[in-house]
Structure formats: structure tokens, C-alpha cells
Amino acid sequence: HRPAYVSLVCSGPKLKSCMLSSVPVLSWLPRYSLRDNAIGDLISGISVGIMHLPQGMAYALLAAVPPVFGLYSSFYPILIYFIFGSSKHISVGTYAVMSVMIGGVTERLAPDTNFMMYDNATNQSMVDVLARDTERVKVAAAVTFLSGLFQMLLGLVQFGFVVTYLSEPLVRGYTTGAAIHVIVSQLKYTFGISPKRHSGPFALIFTVIEVCYLVPETNIGTLVVSLVSIIGLVMVKELNTYLGKKLPVPIPVELLGIIIATVVSWQVNLEGEYGVEVVGEIPSGLQPPVMPTASLFGQVIGDAFALSVVGYGIAISLGRIFALKYGYKVDSNQELIALGLSNTIGGVFQCFAISCSMSRTMVQESTGGKTQTEVVLCVIVIGGCLSVHQAVLAAIIYVNLQGMMKQFMDIPTLWKSNKVDMLVWVATLILTVLFNPDIGLAASIAFSMLTVIFRTQLPKYSLLGQVPETDIYRPVENYNQVNEIPGVVIFRSSATLYFANAEMYQDALAEKSGIDITKLISQKKKAEAKRLRKEKKEARKAKKDAKKNAQEWVRRRSVLDFYAGNVLGECLMDDPSMSCPVQEGEPDSSENEVEKGVATVEEGSKPDSTLPRAIILELSPVNFLDTVGVKTLRNVSRLHALISILLNLLTCSASLPPSISLYVL
């Protein structure tokens, strides 16, 4: 016999298939049609690239790192996704929710208080901004690198189904809650104030209270710049929406806002005259790769996992929407690997974690983008010295979050369609606002899972009736034309049967069928006990009568014996045919009566005609059974058998254990 071994030989077709699935660009780029796609991708690439510039710098403020690192995050990761991503339409890059989560980590591990130094010129303490920003960049790179490793690991073990735990109401409620965190974090730039940094649960509440306390110290120049920027951005965005079909390319409102603000700042000297803070010099060129600080991994591992799940969930949700719209498939596991590589390599180049942006994706799709080739046109020229106002970047963030804030309209829609989903949406929003995005996500997923448990714990129970002249059965409480089968109860639960609802299943069966098994069994036991007591009483009476009769018989026997020597002989001599008064061995009539009394057994009570003859449990919703569920069905069968009611199981799934085969129809 040849020894068994595992073949490691990979055929040519298998190797090709593996390469094409692992590196999707190899499958579509050789077949790229310049005639059909080039113009749309060119316009889309320029449009999205223009959006990347201001959004990258603005979202860098959320991550609490210098703006140039937002530009790096809009360059390296998207090139990696271009090679390994499977979606044709989503625009990956900096994202507000991810940025604010990273900002929470960087400000927690590198707070201003750790970099205070004494200024001899002013005799005051001040923050060493350069050292602080350097440390924060290290923290952001470490958490980004580790989140990418998590995503790649999950993708390699085919764990893409994890996104199924992020339902649409949960994702929308979460992004809305995260948007509120983003807005609150930018209030200091809008009012030109410096509130204290708060972390942990209820940090947002404390920050709002702090901002309200510092409002009297508002820098009027900063506030004016913020209001003018917000109004201008909103007006141009609404103009883009109104003229969307007439304009070949949307007006680059964010980039125009930065350019105008820079020119005004240079001409009016807003920083010197009015104290309006600017971002400062943005260096040109790209950063060399630097391995993240491994000593930080232990402090950011929880945040990294939360980032990996949130970033993947948002990207795959949006990717599936466009894949369904345009008729292609997005590989969930490949998306994990693509995002993981983007973040891992991005972390080496000091980027912060990226995901998919709704606003950029909509622009990319509306301007005719059909493939990922437009990403090569995004943010390839980063240079010059710009005096960008932080208030303008905050205004850009506010305006780009308006789509998330419109998600509040989900509440009335979900109230009409599904109140449980509305509850998930509202609870996710509240939990995210109160406990910050990282803890809020975990709490929201836990709450969403609890709603599933509650829904299986509290299913709808119903009795089925037959639609006349058909084999169709429907709930009798919902349809007035169905007829219940006489003597038969058909019971159905809308959820599976397991430990959490087993007891309620039995209670609902008793309530719907009108059979109080406990009462009936108790009555039967009482009747049985009464019958036994009666039989024992009659037996004792019969025994007593028999004893009494036996004593009488002995007395009479002694009398007969007395006359035996005299009277019996004379009777036989005078007339042999004469019958004697008492003959030996003749049974006494009273004894027969006793025997009859002992042999008599009372006949049991007849079955109650009001009870059904059989109960059918319709089990089509039951897709699995645990040991508690099996014991419940056995117990129900045993109890009904005690009152002479047959139990049957109908439409059992083939996956159910054979141990439930009681009476299967």
C-alpha cells in the first residue's frame, strides 16, 4: 500500500485563481477599457483628489496629529487598496469617525500635561508642541499598524462574517453618535478656546460643560471666520446638489474654502491682528518608513481592535451597497485583507487608520468613476507653505458631517417599520455619546445581541387553523376564515426553542390550548387516591364481615356438632331422603356476598370530551435544539400522555437531533 500523504502540489489554474482572488487588480486591470472608463475615472479622480486635500488636513485635527499626516493618510493607504481592494466604487482614506477614535487614543497617551516646559521669557509654563506632536504621531502609527494586523488576521481566518453583527441601524446610529463626538471636539477651534481634555465615560458631557463655561472667553475673530466658513460651505454644497446634473464636476468647495481663507489670512494678517490660530507650515515631500513603537502595542490593543472592526464595518457596508447597485460582488474577507494591508503599511509611513468616506464615495460615483484607477490621481502633489486656519478646517468637518446628522430622520422611519430596530438605533447613539466610540461600539453590539435574545425569548405563539379546501394552515387570530380541526390543537411558535424560552413555550401551549395540565393531573391523582381509599375501605369492611361470618359459622358449627350424635342419626334412620338443616361444606350465602364485595372494582372515569384528542407542535421555525429544548418536548409529551392526549411533531428540520423523535408526523 502507498503511504497516505498530503499533496502540496499546486496546479497552474489553482495558482492563477489564488493570485487573482488575492490581488484583484490583476483580474480587472488587464481588461481595463480606456474607451468606456477613462474619462469618467479621470474626472472622478480629480474630483475626489481635490476633496482628499482639505479633508485629510481637517481629519488630522480630529486625530490630534499635525495636518500633513492627514495628507500622508490620503496617499499611501489608498494606493495599497487600489491593488488589493475588491470594491470598484468606495473611496478609502481619512474618515471622521476613525479620526476621532484615534484622537481619543493619542490625547490619552500623550496629553499636553506630559509636555509642559517653563518659558524664561514669559515666566509661564507652555506646551512643547514639537515633542507632543512627535509622540502623538508615534501613538497614531502604532494603533493604526496594530489595527491593520487585526484586520489581516481576521481576513486570513475567513472572519469576514463578523460584519453581520453590525446591522444597518447599529452602524447608522453609531456613526451619528461618533459625529456628535467629532462636532464637540471641534468646538474649541470654532470659539478659539482651550478646554481641558477629558477621557473615559461621559467625557463628551464634561467637555460640553467645560466649553459652556469658557464661552465668555470666545475669540471673536475665530468665531467670525468659523461662521463665515460654515455658511459659505453650506451654500456651495447646496448649489452642488441643486446643479448636480448640470455640472460635469462638483465645485471643490472645501479646497476653495482653504484657498480663500489662506489668501484672506495673508492679506489681513488674522493671526497677528485677531489671534486666529492657523495650522502652520505644511512640509513638502514624503516621510521615510519607520517601524511603529512596539512598546505602545500593549496600551492600544483594545483601541486597535475597535478601529479594525469599525473601519471594516463601514467600508464593507458601503461597498456592498454599490456592488448590489452595479451588479458585482465584494469579497468580505478580501476587503479585510485590503484594509489591513492599507493600515499596516500606512502605519509604517506614519499614517493614521483609514476607512471609507460616504461623501467622497458619493462624489466618486456621481462623477462617473467606475474602477479604482482614479485613486492614482489623488493627492500626489503635497507641497508649499499654507497658512490654513484651524477654524476653517473645523468648518469643513462640520459641513461634511451634515449627512451623518441627517440620519436622525431614521428614527421616525424605523418607528413605522420596525420599533426594535429603532430601539437599537437610539440605544447605539446614546451609548456611543456617553461612553465614547470605542466602548460605545462594544456596548452597542452587546445591546443589539440582547434584542435578538429578547425577540427569541418573547416570540409570537399562535394556534393554526386550516384554510377551507386547502392544505394551508394559518394563525386563527389573524385570519377569520380559517377553521380549527375538531379535537386537534396545532400550536406554533415564531422562534426556535432553546433554554431561554423553554418555560414560556410550555406556558404558552397551556394558555393557547386551554389545557391546564397541572390541574388535570392533580384532579386525576385525587380521583385515583379517592378510588384507592374507597377500595381499601371496602376491603377492610369485607374483611371484617368475613371475620364476623367466620365466627358465626364456628358457633353454628359447634351447635351442629352438639346435635350430630343424636339428631342426625335419628333423621337418617327415620327418613334417609330428608335434608338436614345444615350440610358440611355448603357455602354460606353471606360469604358469597362478601366475596362479591371484595371482587367489585369501581370503573374509572371516562375521558373528558372537552379535551382534544391530539396536539400537534408545528416546528418549522425551530432550526436548532439544545438539551433544554429536547427535555421540554419530552416533558410536554409525557405530561399530555398522562391525560390521554397524543403529542405529534410536525415539519421538523433535518438538522434537529434524532432524540426528539417522539411522535413525528
Side-chain angles (χ1 to χ4, degrees), residues 464 492-495 617-623 650-653 656:
L464 302 184
R492 184 178 188 271
S493 170
S494 61
L617 302 182
E618 206 276 331
L619 300 179
S620 58
V622 179
N623 52 8
L650 181 65
T651 59
C652 294
S653 171
L656 297 184

